Amino acid sequence: MSKLRYLPLLLLLLPPFYLDLFWLQAGLFVMAAAIGAIGLNLLTGSTGQLSMGHSFFLAVGAYGYVYFAGESDEHLVGLGLPPVVAIVCAVVLAGLAGLAFSPIAGRLSGVYLGIASLALIFIGQHVLFNVHDVTGGYNGRAVPPLEIFGFTFDNSGDVAPFGIPFGGLEKLWFVGLILLGVSALFALGVLRSRPGRAMNLIRDQQTAAGVIGIPVARTRAAVFTLSSMYAGLGGVLLALTFQRAVPDYFGMLLALDYLAMIVIGGLGSVTGAIVGATFVTLLPQLLTRYSDSLPLVSPPGTGGVSPADAARYLYGAAVVGIVLFLPAGLRGLRIPSLTPRKETTP
Amino acid sequence: MTEVPELTVENLTVRFAGIVALDAVSFAVAPGTLHAVIGPNGAGKSTCFNVLSGVYRATSGRVTFGGHELTSMAPHKVGELGIARTFQNLALSPMLTVEDNLMTGRHRLMRSGFVRSGLRWPSAVREERLHRDRAREIAEFAGIGKKLAHPVGALPYGDQKRVELARALCGEPRLLMLDEPVAGMNATERHEMAELIVTVRESLGISILLVEHDMGLVMRLADHVTVLDFGRLIASGTPAEVQNDPEVLRAYLGEEAAS
């Protein structure tokens, strides 16, 4: 197969040169969400393990980064590590949090894990609101900008390729692309080889998987840990884009958003996770941006249907429509003949 | 091919809340033989299979395979000993291709984990290639070599049964357990499957434990037959001996026929 078909991906390098900050930020949100969604899709789409706790691990990643990279002052504590080290530590921390929950995640299957993992959200919210020193409490905490080998990702204006001054988001765009690319390739590597096949068989035929020699509980636990690391990395990029981490954001609605992403995009597929993340993340942004010119949607705070609510209605409808008419998700639109219907879900 | 040990079942009893599914059943599968377990519906054949493959726990009794006690093992540990089985109702991943389904059978022989697979480590890539080659050979052997790229769910029933058998063979088993391999097949498919089982046995020299309702098939293929009825062992011997056993006739046909 020709490698040329990957050429259009180079277009992704262009936006920082042409688009304004709103679109750059929206694009970075998409990348962060896509990383998290790829992780959730490994767990839910490929292994059949429902998780409602994904927003908890996103929070661990985001606040992990803020804590490791942030400086201490009279109200807040932080370790002041170099940001790159802080990213690695945050992802590892999210992995450790996943590992801590994995004895449960390995033993419970499907929907039961979904219910058990709800607990993580409530515990997470409680901790985030109350550990003021780390999270800054209700109002959140500023996120220290990324810095790689003395090169700071802020608006200092020290870089201006082709005469275009690059601010923080422009520079972060490229980091986001690299992180998303590496995350996607890693997930594809996993899915197309031994662990991926084991995950699929556990989803489709749990008993047969065990008999064939696949340690079911251990594999599930490993996937759960891996998926929480993806969520951690997504959380870090989210925090870097937002430039502020607010506890309220990492609630149950966010966990539902991620489930909507993988269902809309296509369960069990890396491309599907990226497509779904784009759809679910961009929709509210677009509605907010154009709320004055759209019927039935009013600008936030003016009463009536807010763009965020309208977006939720829309993708709620999209989820229903896709489950009924497009079981392979939006990704299945492209090549319907190659994605046969799933026969049964035991 | 490594040495094939004997499988011995001693006084195996399984109870489900008051129902005795297996009652002190003993038999042995000699290395390299085809041993059939038959009996009317509800005789305990499938329960026996599920205990041997670690899916159910025995209430009492012992099952040993080459010095290993199976009754306390998790299913994947039993699989690692080289015991592979097929299922009465298909247990494949319908959306994966035939080739990928066969590759799940080789899971126990491969080593690449998440990190090496995700990073496409050279050793993982090499391992994947080697095992794919072997899986393709086995597919040819099982007569599904032309369907490697098809999703399993799209294949006819008879072919799916073959894929299951091929997947079990992909684990390079020393004991192959077949749970009703020709159930639901038409005459041609039955005949072809029987031929395949004979070929497996002759060319691989492994032990085969067979549960089947098709008496013609059992009598033709088996070296030794164990007959269960209501969880008890009622007869054991060569096909010819078992066929004329009054207990067996009674279990299958009723009192009158036996007298």
Side-chain angles (χ1 to χ4, degrees):
Chain A
M1 203 169 295
S2 168
K3 299 262 180 207
L4 283 177
R5 68 200 170 100
Y6 294 113
L7 272 182
L9 289 179
L10 286 179
L11 292 177
L12 290 173
L13 295 175
L14 295 180
F17 297 96
Y18 294 99
L19 297 181
D20 62 28
L21 286 181
F22 169 83
W23 290 108
L24 289 181
Q25 196 180 35
L28 276 161
F29 280 137
V30 167
M31 293 180 210
I35 295 172
I38 290 172
L40 185 63
N41 219 355
L42 287 173
L43 182 70
T44 305
S46 304
T47 321
Q49 294 284 82
L50 185 64
S51 172
M52 296 292 296
H54 214 56
S55 55
F56 171 76
F57 296 107
L58 284 157
V60 172
Y63 279 104
Y65 173 75
V66 175
Y67 173 71
F68 289 123
E71 301 286 347
S72 294
D73 58 26
E74 64 266 39
H75 301 297
L76 301 165
V77 291
L79 298 184
L81 296 174
V84 178
V85 179
I87 292 184
V88 175
C89 290
V91 172
V92 170
L93 184 70
L96 289 176
L99 192 67
F101 193 70
S102 69
I104 298 173
R107 280 175 181 76
L108 294 178
S109 68
V111 184
Y112 301 101
L113 176 63
I115 294 163
S117 58
L118 261 181
L120 285 176
I121 293 187
F122 296 116
I123 295 168
Q125 287 285 290
H126 182 78
V127 171
L128 291 182
F129 278 113
N130 289 291
V131 189
H132 290 267
D133 292 351
V134 176
T135 65
Y138 187 81
N139 289 321
R141 179 173 178 179
V143 176
L146 186 58
E147 190 188 313
I148 302 176
F149 305 124
F151 179 73
T152 313
F153 288 69
D154 58 8
N155 295 328
S156 55
D158 48 355
V159 193
F162 307 110
I164 299 163
F166 265 24
L169 286 178
E170 278 91 349
K171 294 180 230 169
L172 196 58
W173 180 273
F174 298 101
V175 176
L177 277 183
I178 291 169
L179 291 180
L180 175 57
V182 170
S183 306
L185 287 175
F186 188 91
L188 280 173
V190 166
L191 285 176
R192 286 176 186 165
S193 40
R194 180 172 176 262
R197 291 187 293 265
M199 287 152 60
N200 280 318
L201 191 61
I202 289 173
R203 174 195 64 199
D204 295 334
Q205 297 288 346
Q206 195 187 316
T207 310
V211 167
I212 249 171
I214 298 167
V216 174
R218 206 192 317 151
T219 307
R220 277 182 181 154
V223 177
F224 192 84
T225 307
L226 180 64
S227 115
S228 59
M229 291 176 81
Y230 269 90
L233 185 61
V236 171
L237 189 56
L238 209 54
L240 285 170
T241 311
F242 245 138
Q243 291 156 9
R244 187 160 196 90
V246 193
D248 201 29
Y249 177 76
F250 299 97
M252 184 143 63
L253 283 177
L254 188 69
L256 291 174
D257 280 355
Y258 276 84
L259 286 173
M261 288 175 201
I262 60 172
V263 172
I264 290 174
L267 285 172
S269 136
V270 173
T271 325
I274 298 173
V275 172
T278 311
F279 184 89
V280 171
T281 312
L282 279 188
L283 199 56
Q285 303 266 356
L286 288 178
L287 291 178
T288 312
R289 175 91 165 174
Y290 300 109
S291 56
D292 6 324
S293 46
L294 288 169
L296 299 174
V297 181
S298 30
T302 58
V305 182
S306 76
D309 286 337
R312 287 221 158 82
Y313 294 145
L314 274 176
Y315 76 66
V319 167
V320 174
I322 279 169
V323 167
L324 286 177
F325 303 113
L326 210 63
L330 285 181
R331 173 188 160 271
L333 272 180
R334 203 162 39 107
I335 31 168
S337 59
L338 291 183
T339 44
R341 264 166 194 277
K342 198 174 165 196
E343 309 274 298
T344 48
T345 317
Chain B
M1 179 63 50
T2 44
E3 186 86 3
V4 179
E6 187 183 59
L7 175 85
T8 47
V9 177
E10 291 168 64
N11 285 318
L12 189 63
T13 301
V14 179
R15 282 198 203 93
F16 299 116
I19 296 165
V20 183
L22 280 179
D23 188 3
V25 169
S26 303
F27 63 88
V29 180
T33 61
L34 198 154
H35 191 116
V37 178
I38 63 169
N41 286 327
K45 307 182 296 287
S46 293
T47 306
C48 180
F49 254 47
N50 282 331
V51 172
L52 295 189
S53 51
V55 179
Y56 290 171
R57 286 269 159 273
T59 312
S60 64
R62 282 161 54 83
V63 180
T64 50
F65 185 68
H68 296 275
E69 164 70 43
L70 303 188
T71 41
S72 54
M73 277 187 187
H76 69 271
K77 294 282 178 199
V78 176
E80 278 169 18
L81 289 179
I83 299 183
R85 69 169 284 188
T86 65
F87 291 80
Q88 198 173 328
N89 304 313
L90 296 163
L92 297 160
S93 266
M95 293 200 294
L96 295 193
T97 61
V98 170
E99 188 170 327
D100 280 342
N101 268 284
L102 297 188
M103 287 295 281
T104 59
R106 296 196 74 73
H107 185 92
R108 76 174 188 99
L109 303 166
M110 298 172 71
R111 287 294 157 261
S112 310
F114 283 89
V115 176
R116 274 189 285 170
S117 302
L119 297 176
R120 297 169 172 74
W121 213 251
S123 71
V125 175
R126 202 175 327 118
E127 183 185 61
E128 180 85 4
R129 198 172 51 230
L130 279 173
H131 285 267
R132 276 200 188 272
D133 288 346
R134 179 72 180 131
R136 290 196 194 106
E137 271 173 37
I138 293 172
E140 286 296 335
F141 177 82
I144 44 171
K146 292 201 167 47
K147 311 206 163 148
L148 283 169
H150 291 56
V152 160
L155 293 183
Y157 179 77
D159 282 342
Q160 297 198 24
K161 282 283 213 189
R162 277 169 183 273
V163 174
E164 257 219 358
L165 178 60
R167 182 179 67 180
L169 290 177
C170 274
E172 313 286 351
R174 299 186 288 173
L175 171 66
L176 177 63
M177 310 205 303
L178 303 173
D179 196 353
E180 304 203 12
V182 302
M185 286 186 169
N186 64 35
T188 322
E189 287 172 334
R190 274 165 191 255
H191 185 72
E192 287 169 358
M193 186 56 116
E195 271 182 4
L196 178 58
I197 295 171
V198 170
T199 321
V200 166
R201 193 195 151 185
E202 283 172 358
S203 53
L204 302 182
I206 58 178
S207 308
I208 300 179
L209 186 62
L210 173 75
V211 162
E212 187 46 69
H213 273 299
D214 184 328
M215 282 308 138
L217 185 89
V218 168
M219 295 306 160
R220 239 179 321 126
L221 298 187
D223 301 302
H224 196 97
V225 181
T226 296
V227 190
L228 301 180
D229 188 28
F230 292 113
R232 286 178 309 112
L233 188 149
I234 56 170
S236 185
T238 63
E241 286 165 10
V242 164
Q243 246 169 335
N244 299 315
D245 190 293
E247 277 286 328
V248 177
L249 293 178
R250 189 172 7 252
Y252 272 93
L253 302 170
E255 289 294 336
E256 300 243 323
S259 54

